[in-house]
Amino acid sequence: MVDWITTDGLTDYAEAVAFMENRADAIHRGEASECIWLVEHPPLYTAGTSANVADLVAPDRFPVHETRRGGQYTYHGPGQRVAYAMLDLNRRGRDVRKYVQQLEHWVIATLAEFNVTGHIREGRVGVWVERPDKPLQPSGELAEDKIAAIGVRVRKWVTFHGLSINVEPNLEHFSGIVPCGISEHGVTSLIDLGLPVTMADLDVALRTQFDTAFGMDD
């Protein structure tokens, strides 16, 4: 059984981390169910364990939260759906690499509900979309923008943190960092792609496609 929680409004980041840590510990002890928590945050930057301080272009623009999830700098803010996944890999197979791939597949299947084709690229974390409407890359390949970020932490084989999908955030806010350390590609959102998708629409798709990615009853 997976509990699904959706929190309206903007959730304080430090409070979110505290909730996840407590829930993950309770899951490990067998005192709580697995959980998917859907939130939005006020504008902020987070620094993962691989963050390079040079990638924090505007350190005074928004609060910066050091976090022990994997990855580099990311932005969170209104209009972006953050899905925190607290899942028990003791039950689902102790394979972190497979788990990250399942998160990627979950995002791709969710985007497909809106006829958006998401891609995974070697050496680039997250989910990307091709932009034939933009100038070609110097290599002659299609331009690509990032639409979803992934960053996870696993403790005692229980996961927390998770993923974020851009629905309608202020894309200019991403300019204060080098997102995930990648400067040669842009950032997009469902609204930026011309799709009138609401947060509620995305939430339905996330729940619908969860079992597609994770293959267990919820």
Side-chain angles (χ1 to χ4, degrees), residues 14 21 46 135 187 190:
E21 291 183 342
T46 67
V187 181
L190 290 167

Side-chain angles (χ1 to χ4, degrees), residues 2 10 30 49 59 61 66 69-70 72 74 76-78 102 134 147 165 175 190 204-205:
V2 177
L10 302 179
T49 55
R61 186 172 188 184
E66 301 287 335
R69 61 153 176 81
Q72 302 185 48
T74 60
H76 293 315
Q102 288 173 317
K134 290 189 172 184
I147 195 167
I165 299 176
S175 67
L190 290 167
V204 170

Side-chain angles (χ1 to χ4, degrees), residues 18-30:
F19 174 90
M20 286 189 287
E21 291 183 342
N22 290 335
R23 183 67 177 240
D25 286 343
I27 292 169
H28 175 71
R29 294 192 303 268

Side-chain angles (χ1 to χ4, degrees), residues 25-169:
D25 286 343
I27 292 169
H28 175 71
R29 294 192 303 268
E31 298 172 358
S33 299
E34 295 178 306
C35 178
I36 302 294
W37 186 24
L38 305 178
V39 305
E40 289 178 80
H41 289 303
L44 59 92
Y45 298 128
T46 67
T49 55
S50 302
N52 180 345
V53 68
D55 290 338
L56 183 58
V57 179
D60 300 322
R61 186 172 188 184
F62 298 128
V64 180
H65 294 265
E66 301 287 335
T67 178
R68 287 175 283 181
R69 61 153 176 81
Q72 302 185 48
Y73 282 104
T74 60
Y75 165 77
H76 293 315
Q80 180 192 71
R81 175 52 86 209
V82 179
Y84 289 130
M86 288 145 275
L87 301 177
D88 188 358
L89 297 189
N90 289 293
R91 296 178 53 236
R92 296 174 177 271
R94 294 184 174 188
D95 188 334
V96 176
R97 183 184 181 92
K98 177 184 176 184
Y99 170 65
V100 172
Q101 291 173 339
Q102 288 173 317
L103 290 176
E104 293 170 342
H105 294 159
W106 187 22
V107 172
I108 289 170
T110 297
L111 294 175
E113 293 262 326
F114 308 104
N115 296 313
V116 174
T117 302
H119 299 274
I120 303 302
R121 299 303 190 209
E122 186 69 29
R124 282 195 261 143
V125 179
V127 178
W128 302 78
V129 294
E130 295 179 342
R131 299 300 304 269
D133 55 316
K134 290 189 172 184
L136 295 176
Q137 298 181 48
S139 63
E141 297 176 323
L142 285 176
E144 294 185 343
D145 287 342
K146 188 173 190 175
I147 195 167
I150 293 173
V152 305
R153 188 172 176 209
V154 179
R155 187 169 68 191
K156 299 177 182 176
W157 293 108
V158 178
T159 72
F160 50 114
H161 295 283
L163 60 89
S164 59
I165 299 176
N166 297 331
V167 179
E168 193 179 8

